[in-house]
Amino acid sequence: MTGSFEKAFQVQVKNPLNRAREAVFVLVPESELRRNQNAFNAQAFAVFDGATEIPSQYNGKDAENTGIALVLDQMAAGETKTLTIRYNSSGAIANNYPKRTQAELSKKVGGRWENRKYIGGDFQNIDSLRVPSELTDHSYYLRYEGPGWESDKVGYRFYLDWRNAVDAFGKTTPEMVLQKVGLDGYDSYHKQQDWGMDVLKVGKALGVGSLAIFDQGKAVRVEKTDSTYSKIPQNGPVYSSIQTDYYGWQLAGLKLNVQSQLSIHAGTRLTHHQLRITDGTPQNIATGLTKDKNANMVSDKGEAGKRFGYLATYGAQSLNTPPDNIGIAVLFDPADFIAFSDQDPLSHVVQLKPKNGRAHYYFLAAWEKEGIGIKTEQEFKDYLARTAEELANPVQVNVTR
């Protein structure tokens, strides 16, 4: 136990599926905390399942998932768990839980810009960055070229320049690894290291789950903006997130302001991409996957209340020599589905319909060389089917006094 607590309330978490599930993300929303527990103190609390303390954190700076976040490693079929949240009305306590997620952004300091490349200097982690006008691809200014995030299963990054594409890091260990990526030879992660490697070919394609709009037969990434600002709202033991604001995204005669939040929780390969469009109304939000001749593609429109839709590929499409098998996928609410498209020569694409300025989807990568991972195409398809069903049937969270 972290300490003694003077107050408590309970939260019921129900698994609506008639099967067990793993790595269950639970969010007790800020609105519920304030409605039911006016004296709740986010600086001094702990969550218990009976006598067992469950690692948790308070997401106070998150744009989308504010409240108490925790992960239940297992839930049985149809199970309802009653969790107890104990807290003090004042003061603070330190919960030193094992770190199972991470988000970071690292730039060079102490050097100088020269012809859009950054010369000299040393990397320093930062909380936020207004992207400098000099930044382009291979400027050697940002460590692994943009923000990174990871769970104990997989890591990701996206290029914080005109490319704005998402790439994946396969991991051979559940330990956090991003803090040492890109320090040895800058792009040494393109070769397998003791922790894993950059496993995906991206180029001008969508990589895995990159943000785009489908226009004139192709997916157009966020290439031209007035300015871009990125920050790390949460870097916690069970949940981490990255928020990026694109001001004046220009394409197809539109000029959009878009806020992107990428988040991951412990025990999962899934990244949740949540979007707010505050200025402008695009006809679609598109995302998708890099096309690779060595990978088989499958797709499903999904069915409301039963399973999310998905677009996925599996095959020997890694950067390794010879290539390893990787499964990559994007998953979406079937209510948002517009169409799949194979017109783009570089990417498999799905178009989604924004509603009231909002859109969201999930994406994932699964590398065959994970320590305990998915080794075959059939295992990947089975995992994808389970994940699609779980996303359509989230656990039900109810705060009680």
Side-chain angles (χ1 to χ4, degrees):
M1 180 178 289
T2 308
S4 59
F5 298 93
E6 62 192 54
K7 298 186 177 183
F9 62 95
Q10 292 184 325
V11 176
Q12 288 189 334
V13 182
K14 180 180 180 180
N15 174 15
L17 291 177
N18 191 28
R19 65 166 176 82
R21 60 204 297 172
E22 300 177 350
V24 179
F25 179 65
V26 177
L27 180 72
V28 184
E30 172 73 13
S31 57
E32 286 296 313
L33 292 173
R34 297 308 170 193
R35 178 160 48 244
N36 291 281
Q37 307 295 331
N38 292 328
F40 174 72
N41 176 15
Q43 303 302 314
F45 76 94
V47 180
F48 296 87
D49 179 6
T52 303
E53 186 172 348
I54 304 296
S56 62
Q57 67 186 73
Y58 182 74
N59 291 347
K61 299 179 180 179
D62 213 62
E64 299 290 344
N65 299 310
T66 306
I68 296 173
L70 60 106
V71 173
L72 299 174
D73 289 332
Q74 300 280 344
M75 286 196 79
E79 181 182 13
T80 297
K81 280 186 177 291
T82 299
L83 306 178
T84 301
I85 300 179
R86 305 186 185 279
Y87 65 99
N88 293 328
S89 56
S90 62
I93 59 172
N95 291 323
N96 297 314
Y97 300 125
K99 194 154 178 60
R100 298 176 63 195
T101 72
Q102 180 169 227
E104 65 169 17
L105 178 58
S106 182
K107 72 172 185 178
K108 274 190 173 180
V109 296
R112 69 185 188 283
W113 284 101
E114 187 176 301
N115 297 324
R116 304 195 77 178
K117 294 192 184 299
Y118 198 82
I119 309 301
D122 298 299
F123 287 115
Q124 179 182 89
N125 275 30
I126 54 176
D127 294 327
S128 63
L129 177 71
R130 177 76 63 182
V131 177
S133 59
E134 296 92 343
L135 186 69
T136 187
D137 56 289
H138 301 91
S139 283
Y140 306 102
Y141 177 63
L142 298 177
R143 188 155 58 84
Y144 52 79
E145 300 200 86
W149 64 106
E150 67 179 314
S151 71
D152 39 8
K153 295 284 189 182
V154 68
Y156 301 96
R157 63 167 171 155
F158 78 89
Y159 306 111
L160 194 59
D161 52 54
W162 65 271
R163 294 169 295 174
N164 275 290
V166 179
D167 201 350
F169 291 120
K171 293 174 56 173
T172 58
T173 172
E175 301 301 317
M176 298 296 98
V177 302
L178 287 179
Q179 70 278 1
K180 58 184 179 181
V181 174
L183 292 173
D184 177 16
Y186 189 74
D187 61 356
S188 59
Y189 46 79
H190 288 146
K191 303 290 184 181
Q192 187 165 344
Q193 310 292 313
D194 58 355
W195 55 265
M197 65 177 291
D198 174 354
V199 292
L200 195 60
K201 302 172 185 177
V202 177
K204 295 182 179 180
L206 289 177
V208 54
S210 301
L211 171 61
I213 286 177
F214 194 75
D215 182 54
Q216 299 183 15
K218 66 178 182 178
V220 183
R221 303 179 308 200
V222 187
E223 296 177 357
K224 186 176 181 181
T225 65
D226 292 339
S227 65
T228 301
Y229 176 78
S230 191
K231 68 178 182 179
I232 310 295
Q234 301 294 151
N235 178 18
V238 298
Y239 173 97
S240 292
S241 61
I242 297 167
Q243 179 184 317
T244 305
D245 292 287
Y246 300 104
Y247 299 102
W249 177 16
Q250 300 167 44
L251 83 164
L254 300 172
K255 198 166 188 179
L256 309 171
N257 290 337
V258 178
Q259 183 181 92
S260 154
Q261 178 170 292
L262 299 157
S263 62
I264 198 165
H265 66 78
T268 189
R269 298 177 182 88
L270 286 170
T271 288
H272 193 190
H273 198 178
Q274 295 165 279
L275 300 162
R276 296 189 187 194
I277 305 160
T278 57
D279 190 15
T281 307
Q283 291 303 302
N284 65 77
I285 287 294
T287 188
L289 310 168
T290 296
K291 282 183 177 177
D292 192 301
K293 66 181 185 303
N294 295 321
N296 297 321
M297 189 271 287
V298 293
S299 62
D300 188 319
K301 296 178 182 179
E303 185 176 356
K306 292 188 176 181
R307 67 186 184 280
F308 264 36
Y310 57 80
L311 177 64
T313 65
Y314 188 90
Q317 55 183 328
S318 83
L319 279 174
N320 213 354
T321 306
D324 307 309
N325 287 315
I326 314 171
I328 54 176
V330 293
L331 300 102
F332 53 87
D333 190 326
D336 300 334
F337 177 74
I338 298 176
F340 295 119
S341 174
D342 219 32
Q343 292 174 267
D344 190 306
L346 301 175
S347 303
H348 303 291
V349 180
V350 59
Q351 299 177 55
L352 304 174
K353 183 68 175 178
K355 295 178 181 176
N356 300 316
R358 305 295 295 269
H360 80 116
Y361 57 88
Y362 295 81
F363 59 84
L364 62 88
W367 184 38
E368 69 171 326
K369 289 188 175 178
E370 293 174 11
I372 303 175
I374 293 167
K375 307 297 185 185
T376 69
E377 185 169 2
Q378 188 57 54
E379 287 180 4
F380 181 68
K381 288 180 177 179
D382 292 345
Y383 162 70
L384 194 59
R386 292 194 305 272
T387 302
E389 184 183 38
E390 289 171 3
L391 290 175
N393 296 273
V395 292
Q396 299 158 8
V397 179
N398 181 40
V399 177
T400 60
R401 291 185 180 275

